[in-house]
Amino acid sequence: MRFLPFPAAIAFGAVLGAGPAMAAECGGDFGTFVQGLKEEAISRGHAVADVNRFFAQVRSDPSVLRADRAQAVFQKPFTEFAQHLISANRMSTGRAKAQALDKVLSRIEGEYGVSRGILLAFWALETDFGGFQGDFNTLNALATLAHDCRRPALFRPQIFAALTLYEQGDFDPARTAGAWAGEIGMVQMLPQDILDSGVDGDGDGRILLQTSAPDALMSGGRMLQRLGWRAGEPYLQEVLLPQDMDWSQTGLRSTKSGAEWAALGVVPRQGQLAATLPANILLPQGRGGPAFIAYPNFRVLFEWNQSFTYVLTAAYFATRLEGAPVMRATDPAPGLAAAQMKQLQQKLAARGYDVGAIDGILGAGTRAAVQDAQQKLGLPADAWPTRELLDRL
């Protein structure tokens, strides 16, 4: 499951090999576009026969664009989103997988330093532990999204990465299928990520991310390490905050050490704060909702998915799989409906704030704008948009 806003943060390796004219090579007639891909592939040194076979059946897929535009699930508030995705069945399955694959997960922790809970959580949320990996033809999805001029810098290079996988015998342009955004396998990796981080976890001489859990998990662990995951460090804890908290200090823009947060009255529900690590206080639904402290490893997860709500849900799920309690009951202020959120974004944009697309989704840009506007209006600056803020604007 990917959330790819426009403009999207480009994942690790996504722009490798991009030519200077690439940004203009999108749109127009699809057949002409494919011919351009073929010519570029040949100029990169791929054999003409391989290129012709690889692109022989490529087609534009309108359902890919519909999926790209219709990501309404990300409009749900955090607690509702998390309750929807973290089911009792996923919890029990995750714990069973942790036990069954203990040796593999221990190897990942030893070699890459990546917490087992993180990999289990993404495995669960991305494909339900491999149960559904997507049924979109991967080459068609990548070509469609590269042809669409919203994010060619992200998707066009992935086509040539897929071509390399094809030449290695690990990609079938007619049969390889996955998510609408071109990810493949149990933990949903893009072709370039597979080339960069693919690991033969089960020792059979192949990297099979669709059928081998050890391959998929080892590859995911290596990818996170390459993205900057810091071994042995925490990523997220639920915390309790003092009533007189300066809410403007919360969010991803305000960083203090764990010791500094403790001095301000921040208390973890379990364990101890990492005193020397830089950290942020996150309030996904404002001061009345749950509160978390996030460490540098949490930011690495945005390279996997750019949705704040999705990443926070995955990280929280990971803490649960590693023994954290269910988050405490809270009473957040009612949020805004999608139409109201779009109205809020329009009002903020009119005041000069960069909220990104007017899409009704409370992304990082909108959160930052909301918090700044709240502070200027004398409201508690907890970055949670309410009807009161909308009316005041």
Side-chain angles (χ1 to χ4, degrees), residues 71-125:
Q71 301 184 65
V73 65
F74 293 102
Q75 295 173 347
K76 293 182 178 180
F78 166 71
T79 52
E80 182 181 344
F81 187 84
Q83 289 168 0
H84 174 71
L85 290 186
I86 306 174
S87 64
N89 180 63
R90 279 183 171 162
M91 282 296 306
S92 61
T93 301
R95 288 168 177 149
K97 295 288 187 184
Q99 184 175 3
L101 293 165
D102 178 67
K103 289 184 179 179
V104 173
L105 295 167
S106 295
R107 181 182 168 193
I108 293 169
E109 290 168 338
E111 293 187 21
Y112 306 126
V114 178
S115 162
R116 63 182 56 203
I118 287 292
L119 290 169
L120 290 166
F122 273 104
W123 188 16
L125 301 188

Side-chain angles (χ1 to χ4, degrees), residues 31 42 51 99 108 113 118 126 192 205 253 256 261 338 349 361:
I42 293 168
V51 170
Q99 184 175 3
I108 293 169
I118 287 292
E126 294 286 336
Q192 187 64 56
R253 297 185 300 171
K256 303 180 190 300
W261 286 120
I361 295 173

Side-chain angles (χ1 to χ4, degrees), residues 2 8-19 22 44 151-161 190-193 196 227 303:
R2 286 295 174 108
I10 296 176
F12 178 81
V15 295
L16 295 181
M22 186 194 66
R44 288 168 176 253
R151 299 182 303 278
L154 174 59
F155 292 106
R156 187 181 179 97
Q158 300 299 332
I159 296 172
F160 304 114
L190 287 165
Q192 187 64 56
D193 293 326
D196 292 335
L227 290 169
E303 298 289 352

